Amino acid sequence: MIDETVIQTRLKRAREALNDTGADAIVCFPSSNMYYLSGFDDEPMERHLFLFVTPETALFVAPEMYDAQIKDESPITDVRTWGDIEDPTALLETVGDELGLEGGHLLVDDRMWALFTQDLQATFPEASFGIASKVLENLRVRKDEAELDRLREAARLSDTVSKEIRALGAGAIGMTERELAAEIGDRLASAGGEGVSFETVVGSGPNGARPHHRHGERTIESGDPVVLDFGTWFEGYPGDQTRTVVFDGEPSAKLREVHEAVLEAHNAGVEAVEPGVEAREIDRAARTVLEDRGYGDAFIHRTGHGVGLDVHEPPYITSENGRKLEPGMVCSVEPGVYLEGEFGVRIEDLVVVTEDGYERLNDSPRTWRPLDE
Ligand code: GLY
Ligand code: MN
Ligand code: MN
């Protein structure tokens, strides 16, 4: 459970930001935003479950069956409930009257289902609408020490399993990608992780050339480069790291060359991280290495993304983003080279922006050799 004083501080900052932007309310749907502001979260679902935050107050509109759960998990105990056979929009109207929302400007959760956005628009036809990240992005983008500790632990668990999986060496040959992904998931759970942060990527041989190939029935063969991209949750925060390993046999000269180039690009990106530097300069540092080595066209995605309550969140490390990095921001640095029909190589660590530079959260070996420490 998030400490009550942390929630109160976040609510205070959200209210100040609402006042600064002239908006009248943030309306969260079950999401990382709801969790950030209240300590309560649930799967998005078809029932109306909202958190309203205005400059004066914060309250939930929730199905009756959630009443005790919300009061238990959140310091926000003003919970207005509707029963399963009632019309929730009647309650929305009542709450809207009380909060003075009709004719106001409402910032709805970026991840609110269109179904509910439409309902809010129909319930408050005189209101105007924007998205909550306008206010919440700036609050969430800098992590506090408790958040950083959770991210450190999530990274440590992912590193532990990364080392164990590399150490399989020749033992991984003959396994299918699906079997290896299951093994990774089991080991992350045994290490103390709380489920995988995203579908584990095991991209063997040519499958590695598809950055978001997850895992399939292909059998890992001797000499295959295998892209391993995975992480686990720890107390609400995810790990996300990638290594490209040749479990057994001799890789091609081309794989060695590409791996060296990607590692150099990865290190150049990480070493460019410091406060005051624009996100696009990190992208540029990594991309220049690959361009200089002739692989610019094979680096087909951005260099990284912020990481926090969501695995992908601002700041995005793209070639366009002029946002300056600030202490407490956390991002991935994950350049890759993707050669369709051949193989892919990606190397990814998470990095914290510190007062005078950066802190890497990952320390597992980055070479293609499986047994190196
Ligand atoms: N697995 C997705 C990513 O690293 O961003
Ligand atoms: Mn990843
Ligand atoms: Mn990533």
mmCIF file of all heavy atoms in Angstrom, residues 67-96:
data_model
loop_
_atom_site.group_PDB
_atom_site.id
_atom_site.type_symbol
_atom_site.label_atom_id
_atom_site.label_comp_id
_atom_site.label_asym_id
_atom_site.label_seq_id
_atom_site.Cartn_x
_atom_site.Cartn_y
_atom_site.Cartn_z
ATOM 1 N N ASP A 67 -16.880 -0.907 -2.465
ATOM 2 C CA ASP A 67 -16.853 0.078 -1.378
ATOM 3 C C ASP A 67 -15.774 -0.237 -0.331
ATOM 4 O O ASP A 67 -14.884 0.570 -0.068
ATOM 5 C CB ASP A 67 -18.256 0.131 -0.741
ATOM 6 C CG ASP A 67 -18.374 1.277 0.243
ATOM 7 O OD1 ASP A 67 -17.948 2.392 -0.114
ATOM 8 O OD2 ASP A 67 -18.880 1.044 1.353
ATOM 9 N N ALA A 68 -15.840 -1.434 0.240
ATOM 10 C CA ALA A 68 -14.909 -1.785 1.320
ATOM 11 C C ALA A 68 -13.478 -1.863 0.800
ATOM 12 O O ALA A 68 -12.532 -1.417 1.462
ATOM 13 C CB ALA A 68 -15.316 -3.124 1.929
ATOM 14 N N GLN A 69 -13.337 -2.398 -0.400
ATOM 15 C CA GLN A 69 -11.994 -2.580 -0.969
ATOM 16 C C GLN A 69 -11.288 -1.237 -1.173
ATOM 17 O O GLN A 69 -10.123 -1.066 -0.811
ATOM 18 C CB GLN A 69 -12.147 -3.317 -2.308
ATOM 19 C CG GLN A 69 -10.856 -3.850 -2.873
ATOM 20 C CD GLN A 69 -11.129 -4.624 -4.168
ATOM 21 O OE1 GLN A 69 -12.249 -5.091 -4.399
ATOM 22 N NE2 GLN A 69 -10.113 -4.755 -4.997
ATOM 23 N N ILE A 70 -12.025 -0.277 -1.726
ATOM 24 C CA ILE A 70 -11.412 1.032 -1.962
ATOM 25 C C ILE A 70 -11.042 1.680 -0.634
ATOM 26 O O ILE A 70 -9.926 2.199 -0.464
ATOM 27 C CB ILE A 70 -12.370 1.949 -2.768
ATOM 28 C CG1 ILE A 70 -12.534 1.415 -4.187
ATOM 29 C CG2 ILE A 70 -11.854 3.387 -2.789
ATOM 30 C CD1 ILE A 70 -13.587 2.133 -5.019
ATOM 31 N N LYS A 71 -11.960 1.631 0.334
ATOM 32 C CA LYS A 71 -11.685 2.279 1.623
ATOM 33 C C LYS A 71 -10.506 1.621 2.333
ATOM 34 O O LYS A 71 -9.796 2.254 3.104
ATOM 35 C CB LYS A 71 -12.941 2.244 2.499
ATOM 36 C CG LYS A 71 -13.997 3.219 1.986
ATOM 37 C CD LYS A 71 -15.299 3.095 2.735
ATOM 38 C CE LYS A 71 -16.300 4.115 2.231
ATOM 39 N NZ LYS A 71 -17.692 3.750 2.534
ATOM 40 N N ASP A 72 -10.308 0.348 2.056
ATOM 41 C CA ASP A 72 -9.190 -0.369 2.651
ATOM 42 C C ASP A 72 -7.859 0.006 2.008
ATOM 43 O O ASP A 72 -6.836 0.092 2.673
ATOM 44 C CB ASP A 72 -9.434 -1.868 2.403
ATOM 45 C CG ASP A 72 -9.087 -2.687 3.603
ATOM 46 O OD1 ASP A 72 -9.206 -2.155 4.715
ATOM 47 O OD2 ASP A 72 -8.687 -3.846 3.407
ATOM 48 N N GLU A 73 -7.892 0.242 0.697
ATOM 49 C CA GLU A 73 -6.636 0.410 -0.040
ATOM 50 C C GLU A 73 -6.264 1.862 -0.278
ATOM 51 O O GLU A 73 -5.123 2.156 -0.621
ATOM 52 C CB GLU A 73 -6.728 -0.330 -1.393
ATOM 53 C CG GLU A 73 -6.838 -1.830 -1.194
ATOM 54 C CD GLU A 73 -6.990 -2.606 -2.484
ATOM 55 O OE1 GLU A 73 -6.642 -2.077 -3.561
ATOM 56 O OE2 GLU A 73 -7.486 -3.749 -2.414
ATOM 57 N N SER A 74 -7.235 2.763 -0.131
ATOM 58 C CA SER A 74 -6.949 4.166 -0.449
ATOM 59 C C SER A 74 -7.277 5.071 0.729
ATOM 60 O O SER A 74 -8.276 4.855 1.421
ATOM 61 C CB SER A 74 -7.807 4.607 -1.650
ATOM 62 O OG SER A 74 -7.631 5.994 -1.872
ATOM 63 N N PRO A 75 -6.458 6.106 0.922
ATOM 64 C CA PRO A 75 -6.814 7.092 1.950
ATOM 65 C C PRO A 75 -7.997 7.969 1.517
ATOM 66 O O PRO A 75 -8.542 8.711 2.340
ATOM 67 C CB PRO A 75 -5.543 7.925 2.112
ATOM 68 C CG PRO A 75 -4.694 7.646 0.936
ATOM 69 C CD PRO A 75 -5.134 6.346 0.331
ATOM 70 N N ILE A 76 -8.390 7.871 0.245
ATOM 71 C CA ILE A 76 -9.570 8.628 -0.212
ATOM 72 C C ILE A 76 -10.802 7.783 0.137
ATOM 73 O O ILE A 76 -11.068 6.758 -0.497
ATOM 74 C CB ILE A 76 -9.500 8.899 -1.723
ATOM 75 C CG1 ILE A 76 -8.249 9.722 -2.042
ATOM 76 C CG2 ILE A 76 -10.768 9.611 -2.210
ATOM 77 C CD1 ILE A 76 -7.938 9.841 -3.521
ATOM 78 N N THR A 77 -11.528 8.198 1.149
ATOM 79 C CA THR A 77 -12.618 7.351 1.660
ATOM 80 C C THR A 77 -14.001 7.865 1.277
ATOM 81 O O THR A 77 -15.008 7.311 1.693
ATOM 82 C CB THR A 77 -12.525 7.236 3.194
ATOM 83 O OG1 THR A 77 -12.456 8.564 3.723
ATOM 84 C CG2 THR A 77 -11.299 6.442 3.607
ATOM 85 N N ASP A 78 -14.042 8.936 0.479
ATOM 86 C CA ASP A 78 -15.335 9.413 -0.024
ATOM 87 C C ASP A 78 -15.664 8.580 -1.267
ATOM 88 O O ASP A 78 -15.150 8.837 -2.367
ATOM 89 C CB ASP A 78 -15.230 10.905 -0.360
ATOM 90 C CG ASP A 78 -16.592 11.500 -0.701
ATOM 91 O OD1 ASP A 78 -17.553 10.727 -0.865
ATOM 92 O OD2 ASP A 78 -16.674 12.744 -0.823
ATOM 93 N N VAL A 79 -16.471 7.551 -1.058
ATOM 94 C CA VAL A 79 -16.791 6.614 -2.141
ATOM 95 C C VAL A 79 -18.303 6.652 -2.367
ATOM 96 O O VAL A 79 -19.072 6.280 -1.491
ATOM 97 C CB VAL A 79 -16.342 5.173 -1.786
ATOM 98 C CG1 VAL A 79 -16.603 4.229 -2.967
ATOM 99 C CG2 VAL A 79 -14.875 5.141 -1.394
ATOM 100 N N ARG A 80 -18.720 7.134 -3.514
ATOM 101 C CA ARG A 80 -20.150 7.187 -3.852
ATOM 102 C C ARG A 80 -20.463 5.949 -4.692
ATOM 103 O O ARG A 80 -19.842 5.747 -5.738
ATOM 104 C CB ARG A 80 -20.463 8.451 -4.664
ATOM 105 C CG ARG A 80 -19.852 9.722 -4.096
ATOM 106 C CD ARG A 80 -20.490 10.131 -2.780
ATOM 107 N NE ARG A 80 -19.824 11.303 -2.228
ATOM 108 C CZ ARG A 80 -20.186 12.562 -2.497
ATOM 109 N NH1 ARG A 80 -21.194 12.803 -3.307
ATOM 110 N NH2 ARG A 80 -19.527 13.577 -1.949
ATOM 111 N N THR A 81 -21.369 5.152 -4.233
ATOM 112 C CA THR A 81 -21.570 3.862 -4.903
ATOM 113 C C THR A 81 -22.896 3.766 -5.643
ATOM 114 O O THR A 81 -23.866 4.442 -5.314
ATOM 115 C CB THR A 81 -21.488 2.710 -3.886
ATOM 116 O OG1 THR A 81 -22.519 2.882 -2.917
ATOM 117 C CG2 THR A 81 -20.142 2.652 -3.212
ATOM 118 N N TRP A 82 -22.901 2.925 -6.631
ATOM 119 C CA TRP A 82 -24.118 2.573 -7.363
ATOM 120 C C TRP A 82 -24.236 1.051 -7.380
ATOM 121 O O TRP A 82 -23.240 0.332 -7.397
ATOM 122 C CB TRP A 82 -24.091 3.151 -8.779
ATOM 123 C CG TRP A 82 -22.915 2.744 -9.632
ATOM 124 C CD1 TRP A 82 -21.676 3.300 -9.651
ATOM 125 C CD2 TRP A 82 -22.874 1.662 -10.571
ATOM 126 N NE1 TRP A 82 -20.854 2.646 -10.537
ATOM 127 C CE2 TRP A 82 -21.572 1.639 -11.122
ATOM 128 C CE3 TRP A 82 -23.814 0.720 -11.006
ATOM 129 C CZ2 TRP A 82 -21.185 0.709 -12.079
ATOM 130 C CZ3 TRP A 82 -23.435 -0.208 -11.962
ATOM 131 C CH2 TRP A 82 -22.124 -0.201 -12.481
ATOM 132 N N GLY A 83 -25.461 0.584 -7.298
ATOM 133 C CA GLY A 83 -25.711 -0.858 -7.265
ATOM 134 C C GLY A 83 -25.803 -1.417 -8.669
ATOM 135 O O GLY A 83 -26.083 -0.685 -9.630
ATOM 136 N N ASP A 84 -25.572 -2.703 -8.780
ATOM 137 C CA ASP A 84 -25.489 -3.330 -10.098
ATOM 138 C C ASP A 84 -26.773 -3.198 -10.926
ATOM 139 O O ASP A 84 -26.721 -3.313 -12.151
ATOM 140 C CB ASP A 84 -25.124 -4.813 -9.952
ATOM 141 C CG ASP A 84 -23.673 -5.067 -10.371
ATOM 142 O OD1 ASP A 84 -23.013 -4.118 -10.849
ATOM 143 O OD2 ASP A 84 -23.214 -6.213 -10.227
ATOM 144 N N ILE A 85 -27.930 -2.969 -10.256
ATOM 145 C CA ILE A 85 -29.157 -2.837 -11.054
ATOM 146 C C ILE A 85 -29.564 -1.373 -11.202
ATOM 147 O O ILE A 85 -30.627 -1.055 -11.713
ATOM 148 C CB ILE A 85 -30.320 -3.666 -10.452
ATOM 149 C CG1 ILE A 85 -30.510 -3.310 -8.987
ATOM 150 C CG2 ILE A 85 -30.094 -5.159 -10.640
ATOM 151 C CD1 ILE A 85 -31.848 -3.783 -8.433
ATOM 152 N N GLU A 86 -28.663 -0.464 -10.784
ATOM 153 C CA GLU A 86 -28.964 0.969 -10.929
ATOM 154 C C GLU A 86 -28.277 1.532 -12.164
ATOM 155 O O GLU A 86 -27.361 0.932 -12.716
ATOM 156 C CB GLU A 86 -28.488 1.737 -9.690
ATOM 157 C CG GLU A 86 -29.287 1.430 -8.445
ATOM 158 C CD GLU A 86 -28.602 1.943 -7.185
ATOM 159 O OE1 GLU A 86 -27.525 2.545 -7.279
ATOM 160 O OE2 GLU A 86 -29.165 1.707 -6.105
ATOM 161 N N ASP A 87 -28.715 2.751 -12.548
ATOM 162 C CA ASP A 87 -28.101 3.447 -13.680
ATOM 163 C C ASP A 87 -26.983 4.349 -13.139
ATOM 164 O O ASP A 87 -27.261 5.322 -12.440
ATOM 165 C CB ASP A 87 -29.174 4.291 -14.383
ATOM 166 C CG ASP A 87 -28.569 5.190 -15.447
ATOM 167 O OD1 ASP A 87 -27.367 5.029 -15.761
ATOM 168 O OD2 ASP A 87 -29.297 6.056 -15.960
ATOM 169 N N PRO A 88 -25.726 4.024 -13.426
ATOM 170 C CA PRO A 88 -24.635 4.818 -12.847
ATOM 171 C C PRO A 88 -24.612 6.266 -13.318
ATOM 172 O O PRO A 88 -24.061 7.134 -12.647
ATOM 173 C CB PRO A 88 -23.377 4.075 -13.294
ATOM 174 C CG PRO A 88 -23.792 3.234 -14.443
ATOM 175 C CD PRO A 88 -25.232 2.923 -14.271
ATOM 176 N N THR A 89 -25.230 6.544 -14.466
ATOM 177 C CA THR A 89 -25.146 7.930 -14.953
ATOM 178 C C THR A 89 -25.977 8.875 -14.077
ATOM 179 O O THR A 89 -25.673 10.069 -13.995
ATOM 180 C CB THR A 89 -25.578 8.045 -16.436
ATOM 181 O OG1 THR A 89 -26.878 7.505 -16.574
ATOM 182 C CG2 THR A 89 -24.612 7.333 -17.343
ATOM 183 N N ALA A 90 -26.975 8.332 -13.381
ATOM 184 C CA ALA A 90 -27.736 9.186 -12.449
ATOM 185 C C ALA A 90 -26.815 9.653 -11.326
ATOM 186 O O ALA A 90 -26.837 10.826 -10.922
ATOM 187 C CB ALA A 90 -28.926 8.408 -11.890
ATOM 188 N N LEU A 91 -25.990 8.744 -10.827
ATOM 189 C CA LEU A 91 -25.035 9.110 -9.780
ATOM 190 C C LEU A 91 -23.990 10.096 -10.321
ATOM 191 O O LEU A 91 -23.603 11.054 -9.642
ATOM 192 C CB LEU A 91 -24.353 7.850 -9.235
ATOM 193 C CG LEU A 91 -23.279 8.068 -8.173
ATOM 194 C CD1 LEU A 91 -23.824 8.831 -6.962
ATOM 195 C CD2 LEU A 91 -22.688 6.729 -7.725
ATOM 196 N N LEU A 92 -23.576 9.884 -11.558
ATOM 197 C CA LEU A 92 -22.615 10.828 -12.169
ATOM 198 C C LEU A 92 -23.197 12.235 -12.220
ATOM 199 O O LEU A 92 -22.502 13.223 -11.959
ATOM 200 C CB LEU A 92 -22.276 10.380 -13.592
ATOM 201 C CG LEU A 92 -21.204 9.325 -13.785
ATOM 202 C CD1 LEU A 92 -21.004 9.055 -15.267
ATOM 203 C CD2 LEU A 92 -19.898 9.770 -13.145
ATOM 204 N N GLU A 93 -24.481 12.324 -12.571
ATOM 205 C CA GLU A 93 -25.131 13.648 -12.627
ATOM 206 C C GLU A 93 -25.142 14.314 -11.262
ATOM 207 O O GLU A 93 -24.826 15.489 -11.120
ATOM 208 C CB GLU A 93 -26.568 13.509 -13.137
ATOM 209 C CG GLU A 93 -26.662 13.600 -14.635
ATOM 210 C CD GLU A 93 -28.072 13.333 -15.144
ATOM 211 O OE1 GLU A 93 -29.043 13.758 -14.480
ATOM 212 O OE2 GLU A 93 -28.177 12.697 -16.197
ATOM 213 N N THR A 94 -25.474 13.522 -10.240
ATOM 214 C CA THR A 94 -25.518 14.061 -8.873
ATOM 215 C C THR A 94 -24.131 14.566 -8.456
ATOM 216 O O THR A 94 -23.974 15.673 -7.937
ATOM 217 C CB THR A 94 -25.966 12.947 -7.880
ATOM 218 O OG1 THR A 94 -27.181 12.400 -8.376
ATOM 219 C CG2 THR A 94 -26.143 13.469 -6.487
ATOM 220 N N VAL A 95 -23.134 13.738 -8.691
ATOM 221 C CA VAL A 95 -21.762 14.113 -8.319
ATOM 222 C C VAL A 95 -21.319 15.329 -9.130
ATOM 223 O O VAL A 95 -20.686 16.261 -8.607
ATOM 224 C CB VAL A 95 -20.812 12.907 -8.524
ATOM 225 C CG1 VAL A 95 -19.358 13.329 -8.465
ATOM 226 C CG2 VAL A 95 -21.094 11.837 -7.488
ATOM 227 N N GLY A 96 -21.676 15.336 -10.411
ATOM 228 C CA GLY A 96 -21.308 16.474 -11.260
ATOM 229 C C GLY A 96 -21.919 17.776 -10.767
ATOM 230 O O GLY A 96 -21.258 18.820 -10.744
#
